[in-house]
Amino acid sequence: MTHPEDAGGHGYIHRKDDYLKRLRRIEGQVRGLQRMVEEEKYCIDILTQVSASTKALQSVALGLLEEHMSHCVVQAAAAGGREADEKVKEASEAIARLVRS
């Protein structure tokens, strides 16, 4: 699916390197979780690290959502019409997925 903002860049693009750095850190945390299980570490210690990884992913998701709302949704709202309705619906669905996770 292509989006009108593809030509002008996504809202997060000015922080792309920050997001990539955070995601690489989370990737390392998940690899650490795999090692903990392989090494049969204590359950509570593993769960603590799962919680930290989950919180880190949620932080990335919330940041991306904020960027989407302040860039993509605001631009669509300014344009009005069907595009605005679609962006608001898309954002609402994304929020619902985050709340359920």
Side-chain angles (χ1 to χ4, degrees):
M1 172 187 268
T2 59
H3 298 282
E5 66 274 4
D6 288 347
H10 298 288
Y12 66 85
I13 204 71
H14 66 283
R15 295 185 53 211
K16 178 181 174 181
D17 290 339
D18 292 337
Y19 283 114
L20 287 172
K21 188 185 309 181
R22 291 168 76 185
L23 289 167
R24 286 184 190 109
R25 192 175 313 127
I26 294 166
E27 182 180 22
Q29 286 178 302
V30 172
R31 276 198 228 101
L33 283 165
Q34 291 172 326
R35 277 192 305 277
M36 290 177 80
V37 171
E38 287 170 355
E39 296 169 3
E40 300 177 7
K41 298 294 184 184
Y42 185 54
C43 301
I44 297 301
D45 293 340
I46 296 170
L47 288 169
T48 299
Q49 292 306 309
V50 167
S51 178
S53 297
T54 300
K55 185 173 181 178
L57 277 171
Q58 287 172 338
S59 176
V60 168
L62 289 173
L64 287 169
L65 180 61
E66 183 180 336
E67 301 281 357
H68 180 69
M69 298 287 288
S70 65
H71 181 264
C72 303
V73 175
V74 167
Q75 284 184 350
R82 183 173 166 220
E83 182 182 348
D85 295 340
E86 288 175 4
K87 289 295 180 189
V88 169
K89 182 176 187 258
E90 184 180 68
S92 295
E93 290 170 353
I95 292 166
R97 284 191 301 272
L98 286 171
V99 169
R100 286 190 301 266
S101 65

